[in-house]
Amino acid sequence: MMYDVKGNLKQVIARLPQGVRLVAISKYHPSEYIVAAYEEGQRIFGESHEQELRQKHQTLPKDIEWHFIGHLQTNKVKYIAPYVTMIEAVDSLKLLKEIDKQAAKCGRVIDVLLELHIAEEETKYGLTPDALRQLLADGEWRQLSHVRICGLMMMASNVDDEAQIRREFRLAHSLFDEVKAAYFPDAPWFCERSWGMSHDYPIAVEEGSTMVRVGTSIFGPRLY
Ligand SMILES: *Cc1c(COP(=O)(O)O)cnc(C)c1O
């Protein structure tokens, strides 16, 4: 029996205020699930593995907007640059420069988000608040004319403590405001705050998310 993707999708969308976009995270799920969501009108999907994304992009409708949400190795950028809509988890100048280079080769400007690392989990990925400030202060990103920095993305700690999750979203929001004022006051495209997953997206939208990334609540548990 297929998971009730359409019903779940409707329930998630019903909980999103106007102006908050849904990125349906389809990693590890079969294309039939994506088609079911697509038939309900969903157009933005998120994937975290280059090969899986490539296969899905080749076979699924061409008006799908694909967001790359995982850790992206620089040597994989060239494969997704021709078609990806947004790269959400940019956490180094090196990656930003590679995206710029590959986007230039395709004659594109690729939208990206800078990934913040605030959560308590030990992960290698994401910029600490100070690393984010450093990257922007350094200024080299200003020379990159084929990437457009559209905002910040982050994952809150995977905990049950709602107060902690909320604190992390608030910190992310305040960093967004700081960076917006310092570097992007005249850049209307710098407007995205990508936070909120299945277990915390209702809190995320209360804390100013503009883009939630929800997988399990729509497609069910992932089969790794
Ligand atoms: C997998 C993933 C999600 C979706 O997580 P769910 O708990 O299934 O909603 C969101 N963001 C990122 C970066 C992910 O890797």
Side-chain angles (χ1 to χ4, degrees):
M1 258 289 282
M2 180 158 155
Y3 214 73
D4 183 15
V5 168
K6 294 186 182 188
N8 294 335
L9 179 71
K10 280 186 202 158
Q11 282 186 14
V12 170
I13 289 170
R15 298 184 72 171
L16 299 180
Q18 275 242 315
V20 176
R21 293 194 292 159
L22 170 64
V23 183
I25 304 301
S26 48
K27 64 188 185 198
Y28 297 104
H29 289 295
S31 292
E32 297 92 280
Y33 283 26
I34 299 177
V35 169
Y38 181 90
E39 286 171 359
E40 280 301 304
Q42 180 65 26
R43 289 294 179 274
I44 313 177
F45 292 88
E47 290 281 338
S48 59
H49 296 278
E50 182 275 315
Q51 284 195 2
E52 184 179 354
L53 174 54
R54 191 190 325 180
Q55 282 163 7
K56 287 174 172 171
H57 168 257
Q58 278 169 2
T59 53
L60 288 163
K62 290 295 172 271
D63 62 340
I64 288 180
E65 296 179 22
W66 294 105
H67 285 209
F68 196 89
I69 59 155
H71 177 69
L72 182 58
Q73 289 169 289
T74 47
N75 63 353
K76 300 282 172 67
V77 174
K78 57 178 174 289
Y79 300 119
I80 65 172
Y83 66 88
V84 75
T85 296
M86 180 175 268
I87 299 176
E88 290 210 21
V90 176
D91 64 356
S92 70
L93 181 64
K94 182 178 169 221
L95 178 57
L96 198 58
K97 286 162 84 167
E98 180 64 17
I99 297 168
D100 182 71
K101 181 176 148 192
Q102 298 301 333
K105 280 191 191 166
C106 307
R108 300 187 67 206
V109 175
I110 296 181
D111 286 347
V112 304
L113 303 179
L114 298 175
E115 180 185 7
L116 263 179
H117 177 66
I118 292 177
E120 66 184 14
E121 279 97 20
E122 287 289 325
T123 98
K124 303 189 289 275
Y125 307 129
L127 297 155
T128 62
D130 279 338
L132 172 71
R133 293 184 181 107
Q134 186 63 53
L135 187 155
L136 290 168
D138 165 66
E140 204 178 335
W141 59 275
R142 293 181 193 276
Q143 265 84 64
L144 308 176
S145 53
H146 292 84
V147 288
R148 192 167 73 150
I149 301 175
C150 296
L152 304 181
M153 90 77 106
M154 60 82 79
M155 269 184 279
S157 294
N158 187 13
V159 294
D160 291 327
D161 181 357
E162 199 179 306
Q164 179 179 347
I165 293 170
R166 199 176 288 280
R167 267 199 310 279
E168 293 176 1
F169 288 146
R170 284 193 184 162
L171 176 55
H173 200 162
S174 76
L175 280 158
F176 174 93
D177 290 342
E178 175 189 322
V179 161
K180 171 84 182 163
Y183 299 101
F184 302 97
D186 304 316
W189 58 85
F190 189 93
C191 64
E192 299 293 359
R193 295 179 292 271
S194 175
W195 46 82
M197 302 165 48
S198 289
H199 72 288
D200 59 15
Y201 75 89
I203 308 173
V205 295
E206 285 172 14
E207 300 302 338
S209 172
T210 62
M211 198 185 263
V212 295
R213 308 178 309 270
V214 178
T216 309
S217 293
I218 300 169
F219 299 114
R222 286 179 280 276
L223 304 170
Y224 294 105

